[in-house]
């Protein structure tokens, strides 16, 4: 297979869906891309998938916004670093409560979106479909699912550098980036 071919195909599908329905935002089985700008050792473009039936859509592009790991990582209740989540994007770990509950906790702390990484750190290819729980609650902020290996590598890099957050750009339009310039995580098959 040609490197980047799968990503190009995903990008074209995303572009077609958005062109056919401008203003509709992302829908089921679509991908959203974000790039870590800092720290430099993980300056890659990552792939995430939006929640199936809850949460908002990205109607705004953030060229530089903080990706703040939640403390505690599962974000099932009060956060120790909630003040840093305000107007930023939270990185949360799967487990302990429903995807919707995590999203609502981040929303209540003023987060603009939540990226929920799989708690299976070896997962580098299987996307979980995030669905609403049976509580009939709602959430207004976007919720994205991130592969476990990607979430682990981001958190590990922040810990190694002693940083409280990463700086990211989200969403990234990968159709405008030549394939040979695509900075993909070396541990992930695209």
């Amino acid at each position: 297979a040609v490197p980047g071919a799968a990503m190009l195909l995903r990008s074209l599908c995303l572009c077609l869906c958005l062109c056919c329905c401008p203003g509709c935002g992302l829908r089921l089985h679509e991908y959203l891309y974000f790039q870590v700008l800092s720290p430099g050792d993980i300056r890659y473009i990552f792939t995430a998938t939006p929640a199936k039936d809850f949460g908002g859509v990205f109607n705004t592009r953030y060229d530089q916004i903080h990706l703040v790991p939640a403390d505690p990582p599962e974000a099932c209740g009060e956060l120790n670093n909630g003040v840093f989540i305000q107007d930023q994007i939270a990185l949360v770990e799967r487990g302990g409560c429903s995807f919707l509950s995590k999203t609502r906790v981040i929303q209540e702390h003023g987060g603009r979106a939540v990226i929920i990484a799989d708690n299976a750190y070896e997962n580098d290819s299987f996307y979980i479909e995030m669905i609403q729980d049976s509580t009939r609650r709602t959430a207004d902020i976007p919720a994205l699912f991130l592969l476990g290996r990607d979430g682990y590598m981001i958190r590990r890099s922040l810990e190694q550098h002693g940083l409280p957050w990463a700086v990211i750009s989200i969403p990234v339009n990968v159709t405008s980036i030549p394939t040979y310039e695509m900075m993909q995580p070396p541990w992930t098959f695209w």
Side-chain angles (χ1 to χ4, degrees):
V2 177
M7 184 167 154
L8 182 59
L9 182 59
R10 289 183 201 161
S11 300
L12 291 173
C13 290
L14 174 62
C15 185
L16 286 173
C17 289
L18 293 176
C19 291
C20 294
C21 185
C24 292
L26 292 170
R27 293 184 305 263
L28 179 61
H29 299 304
E30 294 179 358
Y31 297 92
L32 184 136
Y33 303 94
F34 68 94
Q35 182 175 18
V36 173
L37 304 174
S38 172
D41 62 329
I42 54 167
R43 191 178 169 97
Y44 301 116
I45 294 176
F46 294 89
T47 304
T49 56
K52 177 182 177 182
D53 57 5
F54 69 89
V57 296
F58 275 94
N59 293 320
T60 303
R61 175 169 156 63
Y62 301 101
D63 290 320
Q64 290 189 5
I65 192 166
H66 293 160
L67 178 63
V68 183
D71 177 23
E74 293 82 14
C76 291
E78 191 60 34
L79 299 177
N80 298 324
N81 65 340
V83 66
F84 297 113
I85 303 287
Q86 178 76 37
D87 292 324
Q88 305 303 321
I89 297 176
L91 177 62
V92 171
E93 193 169 290
R94 180 181 179 204
C97 61
S98 71
F99 294 119
L100 178 58
S101 292
K102 295 171 185 301
T103 304
R104 289 179 53 87
V105 166
I106 299 306
Q107 180 175 304
E108 290 163 7
H109 282 85
R112 296 196 182 216
V114 60
I115 297 176
I116 303 171
D118 196 353
N119 56 0
Y121 299 152
E122 70 283 355
N123 178 10
D124 62 0
S125 59
F126 182 69
Y127 290 92
I128 304 293
E129 189 171 78
M130 296 193 308
I131 59 171
Q132 200 172 53
D133 57 25
S134 59
T135 62
R136 298 182 187 220
R137 298 173 298 165
T138 60
D140 299 319
I141 64 171
L144 303 170
F145 183 82
L146 182 65
L147 296 173
R149 176 64 55 101
D150 293 346
Y152 169 78
M153 296 300 276
I154 291 170
R155 283 190 301 275
R156 187 180 86 166
S157 175
L158 294 176
E159 289 169 8
Q160 288 175 340
H161 293 288
L163 297 172
W165 53 68
V167 178
I168 67 169
S169 176
I170 189 170
V172 172
N173 179 359
V174 295
T175 60
S176 66
I177 302 171
T179 304
Y180 63 87
E181 289 182 12
M182 199 69 66
M183 291 296 294
Q184 305 162 356
W187 57 84
T188 302
F189 174 74
W190 288 59

